[in-house]
Amino acid sequence: MSTSHPHAKPHAHIHAQTRVRERRHQLATEAARLMAEGGIRDFHLAKRKAAQRLGILDDASLPRNREIEDALREHQRLFLGDHRQAELQRRREAALPALEFFQHFQPRLVGPVLDGTADAHSPVSLHLHSDDADAVPRWLEEHRIPASARSHRLRLDHERNIDAPAWLFSAEGLEFDVTVLPQDSLRQAPLSGVDGKPMRRISLNQLRLLLAEPGITGNIADLK
């Protein structure tokens, strides 16, 4: 006859869930620290490095990208403060002439400079739109801007992925990362690697509004 306590299994289950939550929090915090201090921008790489450092190897404990982003914001608030805000503002101001320069390509500001998590390691990321694969490198060459080519893997929607051509160049002591997307991507932004929803992005006029209204600096949702 079994003498096990009837509440033993539920209690063990709750304890296991608590341990998983604690591990997820630990991993999110460590991944955020690696991103903030090491300049890592890949959430998957950051969480794997954090798991290796902490010796937490079960997949159930791996945090979602959104959890890491929240931990990154908290880390920046606690440890970087005014310095990070200055770096963010500098990059947003630099994005303004960049959007003007690429106006022919209906550019949009995206990424950490827009969402408020940019730091001293962050490039200014723009999405440009053209169905002519050579248009952007030709534009850069015409204006004598040396740039290095690369590509970014993006999800256009839940069925389609794309290796989008991208160009890296420096100006005013900052790095710019411009990705060229098909013209029809203007109707719907590629999906975010953080939450799977369409990426946040803003136009030149919306950036002007953002820079003119300090009160909405950290709340992009206020931009219409």
Side-chain angles (χ1 to χ4, degrees):
M1 181 181 294
S2 172
T3 58
S4 61
H5 195 282
H7 299 300
K9 286 185 178 179
H11 179 76
H13 179 66
I14 292 170
H15 180 68
Q17 285 185 320
T18 301
R19 281 182 60 80
V20 168
R21 278 198 301 271
E22 289 173 349
R23 286 178 171 182
R24 287 170 73 98
H25 179 71
Q26 280 182 291
L27 283 172
T29 301
E30 177 63 11
R33 187 189 69 78
L34 290 171
M35 294 182 79
E37 297 177 6
I40 298 173
R41 279 294 155 209
D42 185 310
F43 284 95
H44 182 74
L45 176 61
K47 75 175 74 174
R48 288 296 177 186
K49 279 184 172 289
Q52 192 173 31
R53 287 192 176 211
L54 297 177
I56 300 174
L57 304 177
D58 59 303
D59 287 345
S61 297
L62 291 178
R64 296 185 178 89
N65 291 347
R66 173 61 70 191
E67 294 173 78
I68 297 174
E69 186 180 66
D70 290 344
L72 177 59
R73 291 181 189 277
E74 181 64 9
H75 180 95
Q76 291 175 331
R77 185 185 69 80
L78 291 173
F79 298 106
L80 300 179
D82 292 343
H83 175 70
R84 184 199 64 83
Q85 190 61 41
E87 294 286 356
L88 173 63
Q89 187 68 12
R90 180 186 175 205
R91 281 159 175 75
R92 285 181 172 175
E93 290 173 354
L96 197 63
L99 288 170
E100 291 171 341
F101 175 74
F102 287 114
Q103 203 159 2
H104 175 71
F105 300 102
Q106 297 170 286
R108 298 293 186 268
L109 176 64
V110 297
V113 174
L114 173 59
D115 67 34
T117 60
D119 55 29
H121 303 288
S122 304
V124 178
S125 297
L126 306 180
H127 282 177
L128 311 183
H129 301 86
S130 176
D131 291 328
D132 178 357
D134 296 322
V136 171
R138 191 165 58 240
W139 180 258
L140 291 169
E141 188 175 347
E142 285 173 2
H143 290 82
R144 298 180 181 179
I145 298 175
S148 58
R150 60 174 58 189
S151 66
H152 294 311
R153 184 78 166 169
L154 296 172
R155 296 176 66 197
L156 292 180
D157 52 42
H158 292 292
E159 281 85 38
R160 296 180 298 159
N161 294 323
I162 185 175
D163 289 314
W167 302 89
L168 260 63
F169 62 89
S170 297
E172 304 296 328
L174 294 175
E175 188 176 65
F176 290 78
D177 185 339
V178 299
T179 302
V180 186
L181 296 170
Q183 196 69 36
D184 65 7
S185 295
L186 267 173
R187 291 200 297 271
Q188 178 174 305
L191 302 184
S192 167
V194 176
D195 57 14
K197 298 177 182 178
M199 289 182 181
R200 290 175 174 174
R201 56 185 184 174
I202 60 173
S203 65
L204 174 61
N205 288 337
Q206 288 172 314
L207 179 58
R208 287 189 179 121
L209 175 61
L210 182 64
L211 291 170
E213 299 287 346
I216 63 172
T217 297
N219 190 3
I220 307 305
D222 287 347
L223 286 173
K224 302 298 183 185

